[in-house]
Amino acid sequence: MEVQERILDTAFGLFRQYGTRSITMDDIATRMGISKKTLYAHFVDKDDMVVHAIRRYLEIIQEEERIIISKADNAIEELFGIMNMMDEKLRNMNPVIMLDLQKFHSQAFLVFQEYRNSSLRTTIRTNLERGIGEGLYRKDLDVNILTQFRIASAMVCFQPEVFPLTGYDMGKVQRVLLEHFLYGVSSEEGFRLIEKYRQQQLSLNK
């Protein structure tokens, strides 16, 4: 792994745990055992590092989503795969990171918004259309409205006034909300498939 990628992964590991505001370039250099000068050889400043760290994190998510989608036999298996992946990616993440992006890192927040409004929207819409075509989702669904609804529900775990910083795990919140959404859009055939995948998952987790 290149030095820049190792820096970004280390930095994001700190950002996801403590938020961006409380982490300094000194903290990152100390964690890596390198000089601060090395950090500035790769990034203009902390804000530049945050932008690159968020972009790298989202690119990794998108690549994993593409792999999951390409291997899934149907729309419901696809969502279960994405649900498990996001559970892992968001586990123990401090939602304050999103507040910090909005307040202190406008460019990084724009990167996130672009992901939300483009890649995430396309993934949700395509899954809904796939599920309807496979007969696993109800044929009377309004795809436009439900795409917007799913985007909004995916963002709610970042709102501390809804889910306080202590007491809720972001990964679990996302999993529960996605499961709820999936039950709401499924046909009778889809419902039976959900139960099948849930039982398989429970067996694997024992």
Side-chain angles (χ1 to χ4, degrees):
M1 188 183 293
E2 294 182 2
V3 174
Q4 188 178 56
E5 291 177 341
R6 289 195 292 110
I7 292 171
L8 291 175
D9 290 346
T10 301
F12 189 78
L14 292 169
F15 296 153
R16 65 174 288 142
Q17 187 174 359
Y18 303 106
T20 62
R21 189 182 185 190
S22 62
I23 296 299
T24 66
M25 297 293 266
D26 284 318
D27 294 328
I28 297 165
T30 300
R31 177 62 65 93
M32 294 194 69
I34 61 176
S35 69
K36 197 159 63 169
K37 183 178 178 180
T38 303
L39 298 183
Y40 285 111
H42 292 276
F43 304 99
V44 175
D45 52 24
K46 178 183 165 183
D47 192 55
D48 183 45
M49 182 185 290
V50 172
V51 171
H52 282 83
I54 294 299
R55 183 174 285 123
R56 174 169 166 75
Y57 177 72
L58 294 175
E59 285 173 352
I60 290 171
I61 286 178
Q62 289 173 83
E63 179 57 29
E64 292 193 19
E65 282 178 346
R66 281 191 287 269
I67 293 171
I68 290 166
I69 292 168
S70 68
K71 292 181 177 179
D73 290 335
N74 54 68
I76 290 177
E77 183 179 8
E78 177 185 313
L79 272 196
F80 266 88
I82 291 174
M83 185 172 10
N84 290 335
M85 183 268 288
M86 292 307 297
D87 185 22
E88 179 186 340
K89 295 296 182 189
L90 294 174
R91 188 174 300 142
N92 300 321
M93 182 180 285
N94 190 333
V96 76
I97 187 173
M98 190 60 65
L99 300 176
D100 285 352
L101 293 186
Q102 289 178 273
K103 291 180 179 179
F104 309 111
H105 305 284
S106 59
Q107 190 59 44
F109 187 62
L110 280 176
V111 170
F112 177 79
Q113 286 182 309
E114 287 170 8
Y115 161 76
R116 182 191 64 194
N117 296 332
S118 180
S119 177
L120 181 59
R121 175 175 279 112
T122 299
T123 298
I124 294 169
R125 184 180 185 89
T126 303
N127 178 268
L128 285 168
E129 291 170 345
R130 178 182 183 179
I132 292 170
E134 293 170 340
L136 300 175
Y137 297 164
R138 303 194 331 261
K139 295 189 180 300
D140 62 340
L141 298 180
D142 188 310
V143 172
N144 289 328
I145 291 175
L146 285 171
T147 297
Q148 292 299 106
F149 172 76
R150 177 59 199 141
I151 290 171
S153 65
M155 297 299 106
V156 76
C157 70
F158 294 104
Q159 300 175 21
E161 68 274 17
V162 179
F163 293 103
L165 302 183
T166 56
Y168 291 95
D169 181 274
M170 288 178 64
K172 183 176 182 180
V173 170
Q174 283 286 19
R175 186 173 69 252
V176 170
L177 293 178
L178 183 53
E179 237 180 47
H180 178 75
F181 175 80
L182 189 52
Y183 275 115
V185 301
S186 292
S187 64
E188 288 186 19
E189 183 182 351
F191 188 91
R192 287 192 291 271
L193 202 53
I194 293 170
E195 291 301 302
K196 172 188 171 182
Y197 286 129
R198 286 195 76 212
Q199 289 304 315
Q200 288 177 351
Q201 198 164 48
L202 286 172
S203 297
L204 289 173
N205 293 335
K206 283 182 179 178

